[in-house]
Amino acid sequence: MKTGILCRFALLCCVMLSGGCSLLKVSVSEGDPLPRAEVRMRVMTRGFYHDLTAAVARTADSIADAAPDLRTRIGAVRWKMQVSSAAVGAAMQPIPEVALADTWILCRRMEEAFAAAPDSLLFGDLTPQARRTVRSLSERAGALARDVLSRDRYALMREFVDAYAAAHPITGDGAETPNTTLAWLTFLESRGADHTFASGSIAEVIADLGDRVDGRSRQLAETVGWSKDILEMRMEQDSTRSQLLRQIDSLDRNFRRMAAVMEHIPEISTFVAETFGERVGELIEAMDASVNHAFVQLDRQRDELQRYVSAERGELMRDVDRAAADTVRAALDGLPALVGKIVGWLVLLVVVVLGLPFAAGFWLGGLRERVRRRRAEERGE
């Protein structure tokens, strides 16, 4: 009776183990997604980037429309060009905390630069508009950091932003902002705070790359349009144009004087005609000089624009290459673990499918042989 129970139990175990083989599954890891807090931080930072560039562009356009002189108008256009380039480089950082810190530093540096510089070096009587805008953006950046960070993390980032702004004197308009990834990570290590290097899942990496390429493309298109505006302003205010207008006015006055004289004294018509020819010659020379100067200026602006477009295109391609390399590296780093899991499951499958049934059959055969011998011995007795 005990032998029968053991046989049934062994058969039941073999059936359960054989049926368990259908649970073997193979899955490919796509990388750990970013925590929800970091995803929210990235989305909020890039949303603030669009508000930042739009606010600066509106203020710069208002100053350019109201400014009485060419220098102020060109300075306003250059300000929004520099802020647009710096903002896209800061907000599109792959690490959400670094992007937030760089954007905050950009606003802080602009606020300090505009507060320290006199009106004569900025936009004259229209400088208060720019100061109000950058002050508002700096306050909004601090409020954004307070909203998306925990209390302890916000205190650390505020200390870092204050220390970084104090350690790096502001030059120009404060629109340039270096990458602070290394400085931020070093600061966290010095404070004993942890930091993560997760790049997110493949889908998040691809979405981040798309945002960065779109931001760079939009910034490049806007910069090209604003460069064209500066060129048009310079051509409208060129000194040769004023000289040409003065020559035309002088020619008109001389022509009227000549007509009046010829009506009353026909004898001096020859002298007047010679004077008229000289004026026409001067006018032609002035027009020729004006055209040559305009073409020279146009060639120089075109060369500058070409160099800028080439530099931006190279930077964009380097960003794309780095993002692609990070994605491939993440996939290759996860490959050994996947291969190890597959090999382990294959070994387990071989043991379950071949080893256990063989062992069970061998044991049952031996048991049956012993039972047969015992019964033969009992019949022999």
Side-chain angles (χ1 to χ4, degrees):
M1 183 174 181
K2 290 182 179 180
T3 303
I5 293 175
L6 290 175
C7 291
R8 293 189 183 93
F9 180 76
L11 291 174
L12 179 61
C13 290
C14 291
V15 172
M16 292 177 65
L17 290 175
S18 300
C21 295
S22 63
L23 299 178
L24 179 62
K25 294 181 180 179
V26 178
S27 62
V28 179
S29 176
E30 296 183 355
D32 296 329
L34 288 174
R36 183 179 180 87
E38 293 194 11
V39 174
R40 180 171 180 265
M41 189 186 309
R42 171 178 289 175
V43 172
M44 297 290 285
T45 301
R46 293 183 179 179
F48 175 71
Y49 148 74
H50 292 290
D51 293 345
L52 187 155
T53 53
V56 171
R58 285 195 300 269
T59 304
D61 292 340
S62 176
I63 292 173
D65 292 338
D69 59 304
L70 178 63
R71 186 190 68 84
T72 303
R73 293 200 297 270
I74 292 179
V77 177
R78 284 179 174 171
W79 174 44
K80 66 181 179 181
M81 289 172 61
Q82 294 170 349
V83 171
S84 175
S85 178
V88 72
M92 296 300 169
Q93 295 283 349
I95 302 177
E97 282 189 343
V98 176
L100 178 59
D102 281 1
T103 305
W104 193 357
I105 290 173
L106 170 63
C107 296
R108 176 70 65 81
R109 287 166 65 88
M110 279 200 301
E111 180 184 11
E112 293 178 355
F114 279 84
D119 294 352
S120 59
L121 296 180
L122 295 175
F123 310 115
D125 296 337
L126 302 174
T127 303
Q129 298 184 27
R131 288 199 178 102
R132 286 193 297 270
T133 299
V134 297
R135 187 183 307 113
S136 174
L137 291 173
S138 180
E139 294 173 355
R140 288 184 59 188
L144 174 63
R146 189 185 305 110
D147 182 48
V148 300
L149 295 171
S150 63
R151 180 177 300 177
D152 296 338
R153 205 69 170 184
Y154 168 74
L156 286 173
M157 183 170 289
R158 182 173 182 177
E159 181 183 356
F160 169 75
V161 171
D162 293 341
Y164 190 90
H168 296 79
I170 300 171
T171 58
D173 54 9
E176 69 282 356
T177 299
N179 188 301
T180 60
T181 302
L182 181 59
W184 170 245
L185 298 181
T186 304
F187 174 81
L188 291 180
E189 291 178 355
S190 66
R191 296 299 185 273
D194 59 337
H195 50 78
T196 60
F197 300 96
S199 57
S201 63
I202 294 178
E204 289 175 338
V205 171
I206 294 176
D208 176 57
L209 177 61
D211 288 345
R212 293 163 66 183
V213 172
D214 180 70
R216 284 288 183 183
S217 301
R218 184 182 298 108
Q219 185 265 332
L220 180 60
E222 290 175 347
T223 300
V224 171
W226 294 334
S227 299
K228 172 179 170 294
D229 293 341
I230 292 177
L231 179 60
E232 291 178 349
M233 291 179 185
R234 285 179 172 173
M235 293 187 67
E236 288 177 359
Q237 297 294 327
D238 195 270
S239 60
T240 56
R241 184 187 179 198
S242 300
Q243 182 181 358
L244 180 62
L245 291 175
R246 287 195 300 269
Q247 292 290 343
I248 292 176
D249 292 340
S250 176
L251 179 63
D252 181 67
R253 288 193 299 270
N254 290 333
F255 181 78
R256 292 178 182 276
R257 188 180 300 113
M258 182 185 65
V261 172
M262 290 181 65
E263 288 178 357
H264 303 284
I265 311 176
E267 293 79 9
I268 65 172
S269 59
T270 302
F271 174 79
V272 173
E274 292 175 355
T275 305
F276 179 78
E278 293 175 356
R279 294 297 184 180
V280 170
E282 293 176 359
L283 175 61
I284 293 175
E285 292 177 358
M287 293 178 63
D288 183 69
S290 175
V291 171
N292 291 336
H293 181 72
F295 277 108
V296 170
Q297 292 291 335
L298 185 61
D299 289 340
R300 183 163 56 250
Q301 291 295 329
R302 183 186 62 187
D303 293 340
E304 293 178 358
L305 182 61
Q306 182 63 36
R307 287 195 297 271
Y308 180 82
V309 170
S310 299
E312 290 296 329
R313 184 186 297 112
E315 181 66 21
L316 180 62
M317 293 306 298
R318 285 192 291 273
D319 288 345
V320 172
D321 292 340
R322 286 194 293 268
D326 292 342
T327 303
V328 173
R329 189 180 301 109
L332 292 178
D333 290 342
L335 186 60
L338 174 63
V339 173
K341 291 182 180 179
I342 292 175
V343 172
W345 281 108
L346 288 176
V347 172
L348 181 61
L349 176 64
V350 171
V351 172
V352 172
V353 173
L354 300 178
L356 291 181
F358 178 80
F362 181 82
W363 181 77
L364 289 175
L367 182 62
R368 184 175 182 181
E369 181 64 23
R370 288 195 297 272
V371 172
R372 186 183 64 77
R373 290 178 180 178
R374 187 182 302 168
R375 289 179 180 176
E377 290 174 359
E378 289 176 356
R379 286 196 300 269
E381 292 178 355

